[in-house]
Amino acid sequence: MATATTAVMSLQVPSSSVRSSASSFLSPSNAPAVFFVPRLFPKNIGSFKISSGRCRGGIRCLLAPEKDSEYCTKVSRNANIAKLQAGYLFPEIGRRKVAHMQKYPDAQVISLGIGDTTEPIPEVITSAMATKAHSLSTIEGYSGYGAEQGDKKLRPAIASTYYDGLGIDEQDIFVSDGAKCDISRLQLLFGSNATIAVQDPSYPAYVDSGVIIGQTGGFQTDVEKYGGIEYMRCSPGNGFFPDLSRTSRTDIIYFCSPNNPTGSSASRNQLTQLVKFARENGSIIVYDSAYAMYISDDSPRTIFEIPGAKEVAIEVSSFSKYAGFTGVRLGWTVIPKELLYSNGFPVAKDFNRIVCTGFNGASNISQAGALACLSAEGLKAMSEVVGFYKENTQIIVNTFTSLGFKVYGGKNAPYVWVHFPGQNSWDVFAEILEKTHVVTTPGSGFGPGGEGFVRVSAFGHRENILEASRRFKQMYK
Amino acid sequence: MHASAVWRTKVPRNPNLEKLQTTYLFPQIEMKKKEHLLKNPNANLIELGVGNTTEPIPKCITSSMAEHCHRLATYEGYKGYGDEQGNKDLREAIADVMYKNTSIDGTQVFVSDDAQCDISRLQLLFGSVVTMAVQDPCFPAYVDSGVTIGQTGDYMASTGQYQNITYMECTSDNDFFPRLSNMPRTDVIFFCSPNNPTGHAASRFQLEKLVDFATSNGSIIVYDTAYSEFITDDSPKSIYEIPGSKQVAIEISSFSKFAGFTGVRLGWTVVPTELLYSNGSPVINDYDRVVCTSFNGPSSIAQVGGLACLTPQGMKEIRKVINVYQTNTKLLIHTLTSIGFQTYGGTNSPFVWVHFPGRKSWDVFAEILEKTNVITIPGLGFGPAGEEFIRFSSFARPNSMQQACRRLKDHFTKN
């Protein structure tokens, strides 16, 4: 339960005495306070200050809106959410970008931060969606609620396209509105008692959703980690694959490959080790394969290429970065029938329950688009889009390499992980933004293992990628 | 393969999910439907159960969605990630059209992929330590999501209730509004009006009492108004029509039933900035955090559709579709009343709540299904106070509704 003391700590406005690296997400002192979201609040609320106003409920509010004697309910703030140090990483990057654009209204800001796709969706896909939309106005074509697990043509299409010959069938596929949403549904599934391991650095949704559901302790500022999570360091020193011999057992292991943010993709040998580790520990791997189509070499494209994986792994994936579906919203989760809890109960049955209770299926128009993605023409079109972003990635890799930087990733992923040894990643982010008007993402936003790195994403129009490269060369020559 | 050779992980099953008694209600109905079709492959089933919309979406709405799809294929028109809280224009349009007589503005509106999903996000927000109250009977997602997140104790077969939830009985005896003076305080109160399944729309007077109750208890109302566009009298369409409500209420709603968006997926949640936790921190901040962490906004195509719905032309066309369902409701009530049944709801809702005194609702469900090939929903599925009731939904093609009514009349007047 949140006590008044905890509340004050968690609502603390970052002061200049706090190191900017004290938390993964804490911004330097000139940035807006943790709770001020400029574009969100109406004008009459403004910022929050420490006030001694009394709530009409007779409860003393320590941080209250500027109007005095505001009514407070008697509902305690969720203590888990109070543990979160700052906003989710990507809206924070968005806020910085907006602030920068306000400061430099004439600057041509280039976004290589958030990893938002920029190229149009291939017509074979959009016309299928438009046709579906039109058909909803006809008696024959109208459909209401669909199956919560996904369209009955789409599930087998996903199974056969991505899991052919691997013993995964349509019953194992759950279509969704995206991997990020599935991660939270998986956390609901696992519950607050489950222990989790994440790569360090990693996509922030695994940790943040774990904090929200109550799997973690408080944030430890000295190590920049939440108590109760096993962080598996992935660095150049270990080829971005964790030393599993020094990793404690956890119930769940979140593993993303090709990796966001490092761009590294695990080899067959490494994934075999991971599956072995999970089997020995009786753990469940949640394998995030959202970037599998970016693989250029023979790295496995799905965990289920590894023998034995079906009994220890769940896989999440997405059309976001393949088909530009970041706004359209379509992804999927694979839960093999063979995956069982310690009491023998199938994990898929409980996930199905969560999906039926807390979800009602992905949008039927988006699903029609996904089906078109998986047609022969759609697959070809997607690989062209992916190819385009891969060319962007190569340009960025070449740029930083030519400037003398140590650069990682980029081969099998649309992310370039650039090393700035000994430097604070938020400072590097800020300096790059200030000097080149290019938005990147500071590595420490992905975990303490990201300190000293910056993630440059390759999603952009070609001319912007080239222009950004020119500006980097100018800055670092 | 020998049973003992089957691999099990060492991950314990989530005990909260173990508490859930059965499949979620609506998939259960689907299963009954499939079983019935297996036994009677030629049955001409008419579905007045799950409440799946049947009428096509007006063209002005679908063509704007189709246009948006085409724009996504162009350099100028392509858009990637939207705001997690929803498109700014749509948030403002919802505030302008749905909350025009209140001080709710777009910054307090979170657009989503619909109310059922928002209910789970709200539970993530509240966490496992809060206590909740629900109407009895009620839409099952409130209870089931509460069990899932860990707010409840075990299910008690003797009462049909989960421990640690307060069930506020809503029956014909209390005009389908709970006797609040008998209710203990809970942190959260789920309240649906017009109600699913009873169809009752709370009056202004009743909602004032509810807001007073929440205010004096320091509780948060989660007000589900997914059926507000079916109101025909002057019952409030939004909790925010009640003074003082912004300090105690979150409102959830949906495009599903009024715009036929059950498959398109669009809804919204309003969290007023005035709604504060006991320590003074705004609930909206935390909801925003949950939304940003566990969601990435609804489909941009659905949102364009939502904007089209909220134009004057869109609302006009939608009203015609709602009228079709309301005509269905009138026919249904007329039929059931003429048979001699006591019916409730229907005036302000697409649901008709029919009393079968002394009978078990699953038995009545089975009888209606077997003898008339009409699917309904047994009241017990919505809570113990739903026993002896059947929910009929008006979402059907008009021909189907007419036929269903003929069959019901035939069967029940003969028997």
Side-chain angles (χ1 to χ4, degrees):
Chain A
M1 287 263 228
T3 61
T5 331
T6 348
V8 170
M9 273 162 52
S10 63
L11 294 175
Q12 204 164 34
V13 174
S15 68
S16 52
S17 63
V18 173
R19 291 179 294 119
S20 59
S21 64
S23 152
S24 302
F25 308 147
L26 266 185
S27 359
S29 54
N30 61 351
V34 171
F35 285 109
F36 185 68
V37 183
R39 65 190 167 156
L40 186 66
F41 287 135
K43 296 191 221 9
N44 63 340
I45 290 295
S47 58
F48 294 99
K49 60 174 176 134
I50 306 289
S51 113
S52 59
R54 291 197 88 81
C55 293
R56 281 196 280 114
I59 300 147
R60 182 142 190 277
C61 298
L62 295 164
L63 189 69
E66 298 199 13
K67 291 189 213 152
D68 272 329
S69 65
E70 277 292 313
Y71 173 87
C72 297
T73 66
K74 289 185 189 141
V75 181
S76 299
R77 187 184 180 209
N78 183 341
N80 294 329
I81 299 181
K83 290 175 188 144
L84 288 167
Q85 290 302 291
Y88 188 61
L89 174 62
F90 300 110
E92 181 58 30
I93 303 298
R95 282 189 278 278
R96 300 296 197 96
K97 175 183 167 185
V98 164
H100 184 79
M101 286 166 75
Q102 285 168 351
K103 191 174 165 196
Y104 298 102
D106 297 326
Q108 299 295 312
V109 174
I110 298 176
S111 297
L112 302 184
I114 287 171
D116 192 7
T117 47
T118 54
E119 300 312 287
I121 298 174
E123 262 182 58
V124 62
I125 298 162
T126 53
S127 31
M129 294 197 287
T131 302
K132 178 69 179 175
H134 281 306
S135 76
L136 293 173
S137 277
T138 67
I139 292 172
E140 320 74 41
Y142 179 77
S143 58
Y145 286 120
E148 297 92 339
Q149 306 79 2
D151 176 80
K152 62 175 183 287
K153 286 205 215 117
L154 180 56
R155 294 169 81 192
I158 291 172
S160 63
T161 304
Y162 294 110
Y163 305 99
D164 192 39
L166 298 177
I168 298 290
D169 66 44
E170 62 185 276
Q171 294 299 312
D172 306 321
I173 311 280
F174 294 82
V175 182
S176 76
D177 61 329
K180 185 185 187 190
C181 319
D182 277 343
I183 286 159
S184 275
R185 280 187 277 266
L186 286 168
Q187 295 286 40
L188 254 185
L189 169 76
F190 299 136
S192 58
N193 292 336
T195 51
I196 69 172
V198 298
Q199 289 166 290
D200 177 20
S202 71
Y203 179 54
Y206 316 132
V207 167
D208 287 16
S209 61
V211 176
I212 289 175
I213 200 86
Q215 290 163 351
T216 80
F219 187 77
Q220 299 153 351
T221 38
D222 52 343
V223 289
E224 296 181 35
K225 296 179 179 178
Y226 288 93
I229 297 184
E230 180 73 7
Y231 289 76
M232 308 184 294
R233 179 60 61 102
C234 291
S235 64
N238 58 16
F240 296 101
F241 188 78
D243 182 353
L244 295 173
S245 68
R246 295 163 85 181
T247 304
S248 304
R249 182 199 174 273
T250 54
D251 292 313
I252 313 296
I253 305 167
Y254 283 95
F255 199 92
C256 177
S257 179
N259 190 260
N260 175 9
T262 69
S264 163
S265 71
S267 67
R268 187 167 314 272
N269 185 35
Q270 288 170 331
L271 291 180
T272 304
Q273 281 177 56
L274 181 67
V275 166
K276 179 162 177 275
F277 178 72
R279 275 185 97 87
E280 280 163 3
N281 284 340
S283 308
I284 296 176
I285 300 164
V286 174
Y287 191 81
D288 186 341
S289 69
Y291 301 97
M293 272 186 79
Y294 286 80
I295 291 174
S296 292
D297 60 17
D298 62 356
S299 304
R301 281 151 171 76
T302 154
I303 190 68
F304 301 116
E305 290 186 37
I306 310 301
K310 288 206 299 283
E311 292 156 332
V312 298
I314 289 170
E315 182 158 302
V316 298
S317 198
S318 168
F319 283 96
S320 282
K321 305 295 162 65
Y322 300 165
F325 267 31
T326 38
V328 173
R329 310 306 312 145
L330 208 302
W332 72 89
T333 287
V334 183
I335 308 195
K337 305 173 197 55
E338 292 87 335
L339 187 66
L340 309 176
Y341 286 116
S342 55
N343 67 354
F345 194 85
V347 177
K349 278 188 105 162
D350 274 354
F351 190 68
N352 188 57
R353 187 50 152 101
I354 299 250
V355 157
C356 291
T357 308
F359 188 53
N360 235 331
S363 178
N364 49 14
I365 300 171
S366 307
Q367 294 197 65
L371 200 55
C373 286
L374 300 178
S375 66
E377 210 187 325
L379 286 169
K380 181 161 173 291
M382 284 200 297
S383 68
E384 281 164 11
V385 173
V386 167
F388 173 83
Y389 291 129
K390 283 177 72 65
E391 284 166 6
N392 283 353
T393 316
Q394 195 57 53
I395 292 168
I396 296 169
V397 167
N398 292 345
T399 300
F400 280 98
T401 311
S402 71
L403 291 168
F405 287 99
K406 268 241 160 270
V407 158
Y408 302 96
K411 188 163 83 147
N412 292 319
Y415 298 122
V416 185
W417 191 235
V418 186
H419 200 194
F420 289 83
Q423 294 192 56
N424 177 282
S425 58
W426 275 103
D427 290 344
V428 177
F429 162 87
E431 197 192 351
I432 292 176
L433 183 56
E434 188 67 28
K435 297 210 169 115
T436 69
H437 305 301
V438 176
V439 185
T440 57
T441 314
S444 64
F446 299 96
E451 188 58 286
F453 289 88
V454 164
R455 188 192 82 170
V456 185
S457 91
F459 297 107
H461 296 318
R462 185 57 52 84
E463 60 268 23
N464 286 336
I465 300 293
L466 292 170
E467 174 61 18
S469 296
R470 268 192 291 275
R471 295 182 193 175
F472 293 141
K473 286 186 178 147
Q474 188 65 27
M475 178 180 174
Y476 287 111
K477 66 173 188 258
Chain B
M1 198 186 221
H2 197 274
S4 60
V6 169
W7 173 263
R8 298 178 178 185
T9 66
K10 290 185 188 138
V11 180
R13 189 181 177 208
N14 183 341
N16 296 331
L17 291 169
E18 279 189 291
K19 290 180 187 135
L20 285 168
Q21 285 304 294
T22 58
T23 318
Y24 189 56
L25 175 61
F26 304 106
Q28 260 190 300
I29 304 297
E30 278 300 302
M31 283 184 327
K32 295 282 186 190
K33 167 185 160 187
K34 288 190 172 116
E35 280 165 21
H36 183 77
L37 283 172
L38 275 175
K39 279 191 277 190
N40 309 278
N42 297 317
N44 182 359
L45 271 184
I46 297 178
E47 303 202 49
L48 304 184
V50 166
N52 198 356
T53 46
T54 54
E55 299 309 285
I57 297 171
K59 283 206 175 93
C60 60
I61 295 161
T62 54
S63 34
S64 88
M65 291 198 285
E67 258 174 59
H68 177 73
C69 292
H70 288 305
R71 274 200 302 272
L72 291 173
T74 68
Y75 194 87
E76 315 75 34
Y78 178 76
K79 281 189 175 28
Y81 285 118
D83 290 339
E84 296 92 338
Q85 304 83 359
N87 170 276
K88 183 165 170 286
D89 291 338
L90 179 55
R91 297 169 78 186
E92 282 168 11
I94 290 169
D96 287 342
V97 175
M98 298 301 189
Y99 298 97
K100 54 177 171 288
N101 297 321
T102 72
S103 59
I104 297 291
D105 67 51
T107 62
Q108 297 162 45
V109 177
F110 291 80
V111 190
S112 74
D113 60 331
D114 212 7
Q116 177 150 307
C117 318
D118 279 345
I119 287 161
S120 276
R121 279 186 278 265
L122 286 168
Q123 297 287 35
L124 261 183
L125 168 77
F126 295 134
S128 61
V129 177
V130 297
T131 52
M132 63 185 264
V134 294
Q135 290 166 288
D136 178 13
C138 72
F139 179 54
Y142 316 133
V143 168
D144 288 14
S145 62
V147 176
T148 300
I149 200 86
Q151 289 163 359
T152 79
D154 289 323
Y155 179 79
M156 300 172 300
S158 52
T159 54
Q161 299 181 345
Y162 289 91
Q163 289 171 321
N164 213 38
I165 298 183
T166 295
Y167 290 77
M168 307 185 296
E169 238 187 49
C170 292
T171 63
S172 50
D173 290 340
N174 57 14
D175 188 28
F176 296 99
F177 188 79
R179 294 199 172 94
L180 296 173
S181 52
N182 293 350
M183 296 298 149
R185 178 194 177 278
T186 57
D187 292 308
V188 179
I189 304 168
F190 283 94
F191 198 93
C192 179
S193 178
N195 190 260
N196 175 8
T198 69
H200 176 75
S203 67
R204 185 166 314 271
F205 179 65
Q206 287 173 332
L207 292 180
E208 280 167 3
K209 286 204 289 195
L210 181 66
V211 168
D212 275 343
F213 179 71
T215 308
S216 51
N217 279 345
S219 307
I220 296 178
I221 300 165
V222 174
Y223 192 80
D224 185 343
T225 185
Y227 302 96
S228 60
E229 290 302 307
F230 289 83
I231 290 174
T232 55
D233 61 20
D234 61 359
S235 303
K237 285 189 168 184
S238 160
I239 190 68
Y240 302 118
E241 294 184 36
I242 311 299
S245 57
K246 291 180 76 183
Q247 296 163 149
V248 294
I250 288 171
E251 181 159 301
I252 60 180
S253 197
S254 166
F255 283 84
S256 281
K257 302 294 162 59
F258 90 86
F261 269 34
T262 37
V264 175
R265 313 304 308 138
L266 194 70
W268 70 88
T269 289
V270 180
V271 186
T273 36
E274 291 87 331
L275 186 66
L276 309 176
Y277 285 116
S278 57
N279 66 355
S281 82
V283 176
I284 193 173
N285 284 357
D286 282 0
Y287 192 62
D288 186 66
R289 189 43 155 110
V290 169
V291 160
C292 288
T293 308
S294 67
F295 189 52
N296 241 331
S299 175
S300 63
I301 304 165
Q303 294 195 75
V304 164
L307 268 168
C309 287
L310 297 173
T311 59
Q313 191 196 2
M315 291 300 272
K316 187 158 155 271
E317 294 299 313
I318 282 170
R319 183 57 49 194
K320 292 183 193 161
V321 177
I322 293 177
N323 287 344
V324 169
Y325 295 130
Q326 287 172 325
T327 306
N328 281 349
T329 314
K330 290 193 187 98
L331 178 62
L332 191 53
I333 292 177
H334 174 81
T335 304
L336 294 165
T337 320
S338 72
I339 296 170
F341 290 120
Q342 183 67 58
T343 69
Y344 302 95
T347 314
N348 291 315
S349 161
F351 298 125
V352 182
W353 190 236
V354 185
H355 198 194
F356 289 82
R359 295 195 61 188
K360 285 186 152 37
S361 54
W362 276 102
D363 290 344
V364 181
F365 164 86
E367 178 189 331
I368 295 175
L369 180 55
E370 268 151 49
K371 305 292 186 197
T372 72
N373 286 311
V374 173
I375 299 180
T376 57
I377 304 201
L380 184 64
F382 298 98
E387 188 65 298
E388 295 191 1
F389 285 87
I390 292 284
R391 189 192 85 173
F392 286 83
S393 111
S394 307
F395 295 108
R397 306 246 56 237
N399 290 346
S400 301
M401 179 56 86
Q402 284 153 23
Q403 206 183 94
C405 286
R406 273 196 293 273
R407 295 182 195 175
L408 290 167
K409 185 138 192 165
D410 278 345
H411 171 69
F412 283 107
T413 47
K414 263 188 286 181
N415 302 295

